Amino acid sequence: MTTQTAFSTRDAAFVRDFHIMSEFGATEKGGVERQAASVPDGQQRQWLKGLLEARGFTVRFDRAGNQWGLYEAVPGAPFVVVGSHMDSQPTAGRYDGAYGVLAAAHAAFRLVQQWAAAGPGGQPRFNIAVVNWFNEEGSRFKPSMMGSSVYTGKLELDTALATTDAAGVSVREALDAIDCRGNYDGPEAAYCAEIHIEQGRSMEREGVTIGLVNSNWAANKYEFVVHGEQAHTGSTVIADRKDALLGASMMVVAARELADTFPGVLHTSVGQLNVYPNSPVVVPSRVSLLLDLRSADESVLAEADTLLHERIAGIERLANVTVERNHAHSWPVTPYQPEGVELAAKVAADLGLANKQVMTLAGHDSTNMKDLVPTVMLFVPSVDGISHNEHEYTTDEDIVAGLTMLTEVVNRLCNGVLED
Amino acid sequence: MTTQTAFSTRDAAFVRDFHIMSEFGATEKGGVERQAASVPDGQQRQWLKGLLEARGFTVRFDRAGNQWGLYEAVPGAPFVVVGSHMDSQPTAGRYDGAYGVLAAAHAAFRLVQQWAAAGPGGQPRFNIAVVNWFNEEGSRFKPSMMGSSVYTGKLELDTALATTDAAGVSVREALDAIDCRGNYDGPEAAYCAEIHIEQGRSMEREGVTIGLVNSNWAANKYEFVVHGEQAHTGSTVIADRKDALLGASMMVVAARELADTFPGVLHTSVGQLNVYPNSPVVVPSRVSLLLDLRSADESVLAEADTLLHERIAGIERLANVTVERNHAHSWPVTPYQPEGVELAAKVAADLGLANKQVMTLAGHDSTNMKDLVPTVMLFVPSVDGISHNEHEYTTDEDIVAGLTMLTEVVNRLCNGVLED
């Protein structure tokens, strides 16, 4: 899938590093499996450490396992934080997150080189920090965006460290096992920038190279537990059954029907579902599931949410079960700072890169960071919109164009373009 | 839940042993958790060994982990095999299986005592073997009825021993860990008898103490694998999704709708369902599920099966998935030997126990044994029909009546009543 374009030496070096990086946790089908604090995640973090240190960056791990590559051009000044995450979903693609960390590193390398060449008169106003956030994906440890949530004060450090995976291993133990739990608190941030693949088709469809992310979709995420009664699958008459899996299955179907009721403007899904006792001959007594509703339109989301809860009441009667709403987590449509979107639009225009404003449907570490400091979020296209899949793909031209774009955005942020 | 009846000394001893036995793997809610070759299963087997040896029985474990308590009154003669299983489902009841093993042991104790008292002229024609079959439940290791399937030649020993549980532990390793894998092949059987709880309401409703099992329901059991595509649950537009969990959920709902189409004469269920990658933010790419259809009427079963497969073809289109039928296992309505049913009816009448003929909806080790030798299968009532549940219950009067019934059936089988 490599392309024929002749890249500059430094662009070719970036593409080469991207392919080296993709070997960590590589799967046979061309993807990666690099869940948070797994062995390949730990190995990749050591590799990134070497890459940063070779360029004169100081590498530190903070208390929540975030990896920082710090370059202090202006002693004592705050930092422009640039990065994403290198952990992945199970059997995932090579681009999600990891591209953003490597692009941040290479952008920083270019700027540091530029500052060194410029001499004392050409120094920036802010320092630069490359970040590899811990556990953005949330597949092994919930919630997702864990590292950036701790850094931005949205999640208690102790709560994060005590979180366990399905095997009972805590974040604290898992981070210690890969030697990535430090005693650092992280740098003081002034601004933030992140680049990521779109994970949708809209940019590809419109032939756009750079997405200027202006806000996120709103979301309501629920953990439901459906309660039934254990019974023999063979001998128990149907009328006596309280089948938790039947109730849960009706909820999965209802969620999709809701999305079909609001075509194109509501996304619903159930990604995780666990059955107890999960034995061939026992009617399940307990099923837990994670159901989420997302929309760019908060009124659609509210209406869909009401319909969902009405449907659940009906399902309780039909399946003879009770449905408990165990955990709920919602976020509204919140904008990225308009001055950041404007800056990114100006940079793209200056570089001659086709661009448009987009919303992000997925959550990103930058959606946490934008609540702390002005944050610029950029997208590059995803071929066929495929993501969280081994066949996730973005062309080398696009990852290089994204790097060029990110470098110039961070350059201007470091120079204090948004200070006035 | 103990009753006020004054039992004879030997009946009281049986009830006492039943309560002692129920302590192995006891749960807080009054049930047991004693999956095949678990620590409590192993401990209970040692306890049963002691009980049998104290009464002069020789205890041996065969190559498939079945536990045999042998009493040879007539050297060289074949055996009447009496027993059931002591393993349980997760968080199950105290009666399912274990009652049948303990009743078999106490029935054998009574007969041995009777033969000893009778002197040389009162010896039986056949010997007696108490059996505790390995892994009847199939919750930890599939298939269910594993030990009796090996003994009756329906399952290869090596296949059984190589079967692994969800943690990757093989039957061979699990049996070795509880020291229950022997080098015995099992005794030569002449007849078989088993007593079990009904696991349904029909006997309780009709005020019947003894069920004379005349045949089993037919069943078609399938393992289906639904194949979709991993995608991001947030950003992937609904039209692009191939959601394996949506397809699987539609199958669970379709199975129940089928049962509702044939009210009272068709039982359907999905007891086990596993999702991959089962991450909060990934559209599932693979869901496996065990779906079964059961009926006493083979034509109903055939019609329901056709409808099911039509529904699956529709679900493949609606959910944009493919459904693979990975494994299928069927059995017809097969009768227990009529002469055995007749014998049991005569015994019940002689003892003055209210009885009726019933079918078994669940599978039992005796459904394997009846294909090898003439087999008598007996039921006692289940309060409210509750089974595979910690609240499973049968009154002490009924378990004692069942023991009396079983003892006399086995007595007559040992005396060769069906030989003529």
PDB file of all heavy atoms in Angstrom, chain A residues 372-399:
ATOM      1  N   LEU A 372      -9.137  22.786  29.249  1.00  0.00           N
ATOM      2  CA  LEU A 372      -8.077  23.324  30.099  1.00  0.00           C
ATOM      3  C   LEU A 372      -7.375  24.516  29.441  1.00  0.00           C
ATOM      4  O   LEU A 372      -7.161  25.552  30.077  1.00  0.00           O
ATOM      5  CB  LEU A 372      -7.051  22.213  30.364  1.00  0.00           C
ATOM      6  CG  LEU A 372      -5.932  22.497  31.359  1.00  0.00           C
ATOM      7  CD1 LEU A 372      -6.488  22.558  32.784  1.00  0.00           C
ATOM      8  CD2 LEU A 372      -4.844  21.412  31.268  1.00  0.00           C
ATOM      9  N   VAL A 373      -7.042  24.348  28.156  1.00  0.00           N
ATOM     10  CA  VAL A 373      -6.315  25.401  27.420  1.00  0.00           C
ATOM     11  C   VAL A 373      -6.841  25.443  25.978  1.00  0.00           C
ATOM     12  O   VAL A 373      -7.412  24.460  25.502  1.00  0.00           O
ATOM     13  CB  VAL A 373      -4.780  25.114  27.374  1.00  0.00           C
ATOM     14  CG1 VAL A 373      -4.174  25.216  28.765  1.00  0.00           C
ATOM     15  CG2 VAL A 373      -4.483  23.746  26.756  1.00  0.00           C
ATOM     16  N   PRO A 374      -6.639  26.559  25.273  1.00  0.00           N
ATOM     17  CA  PRO A 374      -7.034  26.603  23.857  1.00  0.00           C
ATOM     18  C   PRO A 374      -6.361  25.475  23.088  1.00  0.00           C
ATOM     19  O   PRO A 374      -5.149  25.248  23.236  1.00  0.00           O
ATOM     20  CB  PRO A 374      -6.543  27.978  23.387  1.00  0.00           C
ATOM     21  CG  PRO A 374      -6.495  28.809  24.630  1.00  0.00           C
ATOM     22  CD  PRO A 374      -6.090  27.856  25.727  1.00  0.00           C
ATOM     23  N   THR A 375      -7.154  24.760  22.302  1.00  0.00           N
ATOM     24  CA  THR A 375      -6.690  23.511  21.691  1.00  0.00           C
ATOM     25  C   THR A 375      -7.077  23.465  20.219  1.00  0.00           C
ATOM     26  O   THR A 375      -8.219  23.774  19.876  1.00  0.00           O
ATOM     27  CB  THR A 375      -7.308  22.313  22.450  1.00  0.00           C
ATOM     28  OG1 THR A 375      -6.778  22.312  23.780  1.00  0.00           O
ATOM     29  CG2 THR A 375      -7.001  20.995  21.778  1.00  0.00           C
ATOM     30  N   VAL A 376      -6.118  23.064  19.388  1.00  0.00           N
ATOM     31  CA  VAL A 376      -6.375  22.901  17.954  1.00  0.00           C
ATOM     32  C   VAL A 376      -6.409  21.411  17.641  1.00  0.00           C
ATOM     33  O   VAL A 376      -5.462  20.687  17.953  1.00  0.00           O
ATOM     34  CB  VAL A 376      -5.276  23.589  17.112  1.00  0.00           C
ATOM     35  CG1 VAL A 376      -5.525  23.342  15.624  1.00  0.00           C
ATOM     36  CG2 VAL A 376      -5.222  25.077  17.414  1.00  0.00           C
ATOM     37  N   MET A 377      -7.501  20.976  17.031  1.00  0.00           N
ATOM     38  CA  MET A 377      -7.634  19.561  16.668  1.00  0.00           C
ATOM     39  C   MET A 377      -7.721  19.450  15.162  1.00  0.00           C
ATOM     40  O   MET A 377      -8.551  20.104  14.531  1.00  0.00           O
ATOM     41  CB  MET A 377      -8.898  18.979  17.319  1.00  0.00           C
ATOM     42  CG  MET A 377      -9.122  17.498  17.052  1.00  0.00           C
ATOM     43  SD  MET A 377      -7.970  16.468  18.006  1.00  0.00           S
ATOM     44  CE  MET A 377      -8.132  14.872  17.176  1.00  0.00           C
ATOM     45  N   LEU A 378      -6.861  18.593  14.599  1.00  0.00           N
ATOM     46  CA  LEU A 378      -6.785  18.429  13.142  1.00  0.00           C
ATOM     47  C   LEU A 378      -7.055  16.978  12.754  1.00  0.00           C
ATOM     48  O   LEU A 378      -6.704  16.063  13.500  1.00  0.00           O
ATOM     49  CB  LEU A 378      -5.374  18.796  12.654  1.00  0.00           C
ATOM     50  CG  LEU A 378      -4.863  20.187  13.032  1.00  0.00           C
ATOM     51  CD1 LEU A 378      -3.368  20.307  12.717  1.00  0.00           C
ATOM     52  CD2 LEU A 378      -5.658  21.265  12.310  1.00  0.00           C
ATOM     53  N   PHE A 379      -7.637  16.796  11.580  1.00  0.00           N
ATOM     54  CA  PHE A 379      -7.857  15.445  11.048  1.00  0.00           C
ATOM     55  C   PHE A 379      -7.171  15.298   9.697  1.00  0.00           C
ATOM     56  O   PHE A 379      -7.084  16.256   8.926  1.00  0.00           O
ATOM     57  CB  PHE A 379      -9.358  15.200  10.807  1.00  0.00           C
ATOM     58  CG  PHE A 379     -10.150  14.768  12.017  1.00  0.00           C
ATOM     59  CD1 PHE A 379     -11.546  14.745  11.946  1.00  0.00           C
ATOM     60  CD2 PHE A 379      -9.549  14.380  13.215  1.00  0.00           C
ATOM     61  CE1 PHE A 379     -12.311  14.345  13.039  1.00  0.00           C
ATOM     62  CE2 PHE A 379     -10.306  13.981  14.302  1.00  0.00           C
ATOM     63  CZ  PHE A 379     -11.699  13.967  14.209  1.00  0.00           C
ATOM     64  N   VAL A 380      -6.742  14.060   9.410  1.00  0.00           N
ATOM     65  CA  VAL A 380      -6.418  13.667   8.035  1.00  0.00           C
ATOM     66  C   VAL A 380      -7.427  12.578   7.640  1.00  0.00           C
ATOM     67  O   VAL A 380      -8.052  11.963   8.511  1.00  0.00           O
ATOM     68  CB  VAL A 380      -4.956  13.146   7.906  1.00  0.00           C
ATOM     69  CG1 VAL A 380      -3.958  14.299   8.037  1.00  0.00           C
ATOM     70  CG2 VAL A 380      -4.666  12.045   8.910  1.00  0.00           C
ATOM     71  N   PRO A 381      -7.614  12.360   6.332  1.00  0.00           N
ATOM     72  CA  PRO A 381      -8.687  11.443   5.904  1.00  0.00           C
ATOM     73  C   PRO A 381      -8.393   9.975   6.245  1.00  0.00           C
ATOM     74  O   PRO A 381      -7.239   9.571   6.357  1.00  0.00           O
ATOM     75  CB  PRO A 381      -8.712  11.615   4.375  1.00  0.00           C
ATOM     76  CG  PRO A 381      -7.965  12.878   4.090  1.00  0.00           C
ATOM     77  CD  PRO A 381      -6.952  13.011   5.187  1.00  0.00           C
ATOM     78  N   SER A 382      -9.457   9.209   6.389  1.00  0.00           N
ATOM     79  CA  SER A 382      -9.382   7.740   6.546  1.00  0.00           C
ATOM     80  C   SER A 382      -9.956   7.115   5.280  1.00  0.00           C
ATOM     81  O   SER A 382     -11.111   7.387   4.934  1.00  0.00           O
ATOM     82  CB  SER A 382     -10.256   7.286   7.716  1.00  0.00           C
ATOM     83  OG  SER A 382      -9.814   7.806   8.939  1.00  0.00           O
ATOM     84  N   VAL A 383      -9.179   6.262   4.609  1.00  0.00           N
ATOM     85  CA  VAL A 383      -9.688   5.602   3.406  1.00  0.00           C
ATOM     86  C   VAL A 383     -10.907   4.741   3.758  1.00  0.00           C
ATOM     87  O   VAL A 383     -10.845   3.930   4.698  1.00  0.00           O
ATOM     88  CB  VAL A 383      -8.581   4.749   2.740  1.00  0.00           C
ATOM     89  CG1 VAL A 383      -9.153   3.918   1.588  1.00  0.00           C
ATOM     90  CG2 VAL A 383      -7.466   5.655   2.230  1.00  0.00           C
ATOM     91  N   ASP A 384     -12.000   4.966   3.062  1.00  0.00           N
ATOM     92  CA  ASP A 384     -13.271   4.248   3.286  1.00  0.00           C
ATOM     93  C   ASP A 384     -13.832   4.451   4.695  1.00  0.00           C
ATOM     94  O   ASP A 384     -14.758   3.742   5.104  1.00  0.00           O
ATOM     95  CB  ASP A 384     -13.139   2.734   3.009  1.00  0.00           C
ATOM     96  CG  ASP A 384     -12.951   2.447   1.514  1.00  0.00           C
ATOM     97  OD1 ASP A 384     -13.391   3.284   0.693  1.00  0.00           O
ATOM     98  OD2 ASP A 384     -12.373   1.403   1.191  1.00  0.00           O
ATOM     99  N   GLY A 385     -13.261   5.370   5.448  1.00  0.00           N
ATOM    100  CA  GLY A 385     -13.770   5.626   6.805  1.00  0.00           C
ATOM    101  C   GLY A 385     -13.517   4.501   7.791  1.00  0.00           C
ATOM    102  O   GLY A 385     -14.050   4.502   8.891  1.00  0.00           O
ATOM    103  N   ILE A 386     -12.701   3.522   7.378  1.00  0.00           N
ATOM    104  CA  ILE A 386     -12.494   2.333   8.229  1.00  0.00           C
ATOM    105  C   ILE A 386     -11.617   2.669   9.437  1.00  0.00           C
ATOM    106  O   ILE A 386     -10.551   3.252   9.295  1.00  0.00           O
ATOM    107  CB  ILE A 386     -11.844   1.192   7.406  1.00  0.00           C
ATOM    108  CG1 ILE A 386     -12.829   0.711   6.330  1.00  0.00           C
ATOM    109  CG2 ILE A 386     -11.394   0.043   8.307  1.00  0.00           C
ATOM    110  CD1 ILE A 386     -12.203  -0.195   5.298  1.00  0.00           C
ATOM    111  N   SER A 387     -12.075   2.308  10.639  1.00  0.00           N
ATOM    112  CA  SER A 387     -11.279   2.525  11.847  1.00  0.00           C
ATOM    113  C   SER A 387     -11.626   1.487  12.898  1.00  0.00           C
ATOM    114  O   SER A 387     -12.636   0.802  12.791  1.00  0.00           O
ATOM    115  CB  SER A 387     -11.533   3.932  12.388  1.00  0.00           C
ATOM    116  OG  SER A 387     -10.653   4.193  13.468  1.00  0.00           O
ATOM    117  N   HIS A 388     -10.787   1.395  13.939  1.00  0.00           N
ATOM    118  CA  HIS A 388     -10.920   0.316  14.934  1.00  0.00           C
ATOM    119  C   HIS A 388     -10.991  -1.018  14.203  1.00  0.00           C
ATOM    120  O   HIS A 388     -11.797  -1.886  14.528  1.00  0.00           O
ATOM    121  CB  HIS A 388     -12.135   0.533  15.849  1.00  0.00           C
ATOM    122  CG  HIS A 388     -11.901   1.616  16.870  1.00  0.00           C
ATOM    123  ND1 HIS A 388     -12.823   1.942  17.839  1.00  0.00           N
ATOM    124  CD2 HIS A 388     -10.839   2.433  17.076  1.00  0.00           C
ATOM    125  CE1 HIS A 388     -12.332   2.928  18.595  1.00  0.00           C
ATOM    126  NE2 HIS A 388     -11.140   3.243  18.145  1.00  0.00           N
ATOM    127  N   ASN A 389     -10.119  -1.165  13.225  1.00  0.00           N
ATOM    128  CA  ASN A 389     -10.121  -2.299  12.314  1.00  0.00           C
ATOM    129  C   ASN A 389      -8.719  -2.403  11.744  1.00  0.00           C
ATOM    130  O   ASN A 389      -8.073  -1.386  11.479  1.00  0.00           O
ATOM    131  CB  ASN A 389     -11.159  -2.008  11.203  1.00  0.00           C
ATOM    132  CG  ASN A 389     -11.327  -3.148  10.216  1.00  0.00           C
ATOM    133  OD1 ASN A 389     -10.359  -3.590   9.596  1.00  0.00           O
ATOM    134  ND2 ASN A 389     -12.546  -3.609  10.062  1.00  0.00           N
ATOM    135  N   GLU A 390      -8.247  -3.632  11.544  1.00  0.00           N
ATOM    136  CA  GLU A 390      -6.885  -3.818  11.027  1.00  0.00           C
ATOM    137  C   GLU A 390      -6.680  -3.186   9.649  1.00  0.00           C
ATOM    138  O   GLU A 390      -5.556  -2.956   9.228  1.00  0.00           O
ATOM    139  CB  GLU A 390      -6.551  -5.317  10.979  1.00  0.00           C
ATOM    140  CG  GLU A 390      -6.404  -5.938  12.373  1.00  0.00           C
ATOM    141  CD  GLU A 390      -6.417  -7.453  12.336  1.00  0.00           C
ATOM    142  OE1 GLU A 390      -7.491  -8.030  12.006  1.00  0.00           O
ATOM    143  OE2 GLU A 390      -5.376  -8.069  12.629  1.00  0.00           O
ATOM    144  N   HIS A 391      -7.769  -2.947   8.927  1.00  0.00           N
ATOM    145  CA  HIS A 391      -7.647  -2.390   7.576  1.00  0.00           C
ATOM    146  C   HIS A 391      -7.702  -0.865   7.545  1.00  0.00           C
ATOM    147  O   HIS A 391      -7.760  -0.270   6.469  1.00  0.00           O
ATOM    148  CB  HIS A 391      -8.739  -2.983   6.673  1.00  0.00           C
ATOM    149  CG  HIS A 391      -8.671  -4.464   6.584  1.00  0.00           C
ATOM    150  ND1 HIS A 391      -7.564  -5.125   6.098  1.00  0.00           N
ATOM    151  CD2 HIS A 391      -9.543  -5.426   6.970  1.00  0.00           C
ATOM    152  CE1 HIS A 391      -7.764  -6.433   6.167  1.00  0.00           C
ATOM    153  NE2 HIS A 391      -8.948  -6.642   6.704  1.00  0.00           N
ATOM    154  N   GLU A 392      -7.680  -0.239   8.706  1.00  0.00           N
ATOM    155  CA  GLU A 392      -7.597   1.219   8.803  1.00  0.00           C
ATOM    156  C   GLU A 392      -6.426   1.704   7.937  1.00  0.00           C
ATOM    157  O   GLU A 392      -5.345   1.129   7.999  1.00  0.00           O
ATOM    158  CB  GLU A 392      -7.347   1.543  10.282  1.00  0.00           C
ATOM    159  CG  GLU A 392      -7.372   2.976  10.693  1.00  0.00           C
ATOM    160  CD  GLU A 392      -7.121   3.041  12.217  1.00  0.00           C
ATOM    161  OE1 GLU A 392      -5.931   2.967  12.622  1.00  0.00           O
ATOM    162  OE2 GLU A 392      -8.082   3.100  12.975  1.00  0.00           O
ATOM    163  N   TYR A 393      -6.648   2.768   7.140  1.00  0.00           N
ATOM    164  CA  TYR A 393      -5.570   3.214   6.237  1.00  0.00           C
ATOM    165  C   TYR A 393      -5.685   4.695   5.918  1.00  0.00           C
ATOM    166  O   TYR A 393      -6.791   5.212   5.694  1.00  0.00           O
ATOM    167  CB  TYR A 393      -5.609   2.392   4.933  1.00  0.00           C
ATOM    168  CG  TYR A 393      -4.498   2.737   3.981  1.00  0.00           C
ATOM    169  CD1 TYR A 393      -3.161   2.625   4.361  1.00  0.00           C
ATOM    170  CD2 TYR A 393      -4.780   3.213   2.693  1.00  0.00           C
ATOM    171  CE1 TYR A 393      -2.135   2.957   3.498  1.00  0.00           C
ATOM    172  CE2 TYR A 393      -3.764   3.546   1.810  1.00  0.00           C
ATOM    173  CZ  TYR A 393      -2.435   3.422   2.219  1.00  0.00           C
ATOM    174  OH  TYR A 393      -1.426   3.760   1.361  1.00  0.00           O
ATOM    175  N   THR A 394      -4.559   5.357   5.918  1.00  0.00           N
ATOM    176  CA  THR A 394      -4.450   6.733   5.433  1.00  0.00           C
ATOM    177  C   THR A 394      -3.213   6.754   4.540  1.00  0.00           C
ATOM    178  O   THR A 394      -2.201   6.116   4.864  1.00  0.00           O
ATOM    179  CB  THR A 394      -4.309   7.707   6.618  1.00  0.00           C
ATOM    180  OG1 THR A 394      -5.513   7.658   7.398  1.00  0.00           O
ATOM    181  CG2 THR A 394      -4.093   9.149   6.131  1.00  0.00           C
ATOM    182  N   THR A 395      -3.278   7.448   3.406  1.00  0.00           N
ATOM    183  CA  THR A 395      -2.143   7.418   2.460  1.00  0.00           C
ATOM    184  C   THR A 395      -0.921   8.112   3.063  1.00  0.00           C
ATOM    185  O   THR A 395      -1.046   8.996   3.921  1.00  0.00           O
ATOM    186  CB  THR A 395      -2.503   8.138   1.143  1.00  0.00           C
ATOM    187  OG1 THR A 395      -2.705   9.529   1.433  1.00  0.00           O
ATOM    188  CG2 THR A 395      -3.764   7.548   0.509  1.00  0.00           C
ATOM    189  N   ASP A 396       0.244   7.718   2.589  1.00  0.00           N
ATOM    190  CA  ASP A 396       1.476   8.371   3.031  1.00  0.00           C
ATOM    191  C   ASP A 396       1.440   9.872   2.706  1.00  0.00           C
ATOM    192  O   ASP A 396       1.910  10.698   3.492  1.00  0.00           O
ATOM    193  CB  ASP A 396       2.697   7.719   2.355  1.00  0.00           C
ATOM    194  CG  ASP A 396       3.006   6.335   2.940  1.00  0.00           C
ATOM    195  OD1 ASP A 396       2.391   5.965   3.970  1.00  0.00           O
ATOM    196  OD2 ASP A 396       3.853   5.627   2.368  1.00  0.00           O
ATOM    197  N   GLU A 397       0.860  10.247   1.546  1.00  0.00           N
ATOM    198  CA  GLU A 397       0.755  11.674   1.207  1.00  0.00           C
ATOM    199  C   GLU A 397      -0.027  12.410   2.285  1.00  0.00           C
ATOM    200  O   GLU A 397       0.338  13.518   2.679  1.00  0.00           O
ATOM    201  CB  GLU A 397       0.023  11.878  -0.128  1.00  0.00           C
ATOM    202  CG  GLU A 397       0.840  11.564  -1.365  1.00  0.00           C
ATOM    203  CD  GLU A 397       0.846  10.083  -1.672  1.00  0.00           C
ATOM    204  OE1 GLU A 397       0.275   9.285  -0.878  1.00  0.00           O
ATOM    205  OE2 GLU A 397       1.455   9.689  -2.679  1.00  0.00           O
ATOM    206  N   ASP A 398      -1.114  11.810   2.721  1.00  0.00           N
ATOM    207  CA  ASP A 398      -1.952  12.503   3.712  1.00  0.00           C
ATOM    208  C   ASP A 398      -1.286  12.569   5.075  1.00  0.00           C
ATOM    209  O   ASP A 398      -1.407  13.576   5.775  1.00  0.00           O
ATOM    210  CB  ASP A 398      -3.331  11.831   3.812  1.00  0.00           C
ATOM    211  CG  ASP A 398      -4.237  12.192   2.633  1.00  0.00           C
ATOM    212  OD1 ASP A 398      -3.939  13.199   1.942  1.00  0.00           O
ATOM    213  OD2 ASP A 398      -5.229  11.476   2.402  1.00  0.00           O
ATOM    214  N   ILE A 399      -0.571  11.504   5.482  1.00  0.00           N
ATOM    215  CA  ILE A 399       0.070  11.605   6.806  1.00  0.00           C
ATOM    216  C   ILE A 399       1.211  12.628   6.770  1.00  0.00           C
ATOM    217  O   ILE A 399       1.464  13.322   7.751  1.00  0.00           O
ATOM    218  CB  ILE A 399       0.535  10.235   7.390  1.00  0.00           C
ATOM    219  CG1 ILE A 399       1.627   9.561   6.565  1.00  0.00           C
ATOM    220  CG2 ILE A 399      -0.660   9.296   7.594  1.00  0.00           C
ATOM    221  CD1 ILE A 399       2.205   8.292   7.232  1.00  0.00           C
TER     222      ILE A 399
END
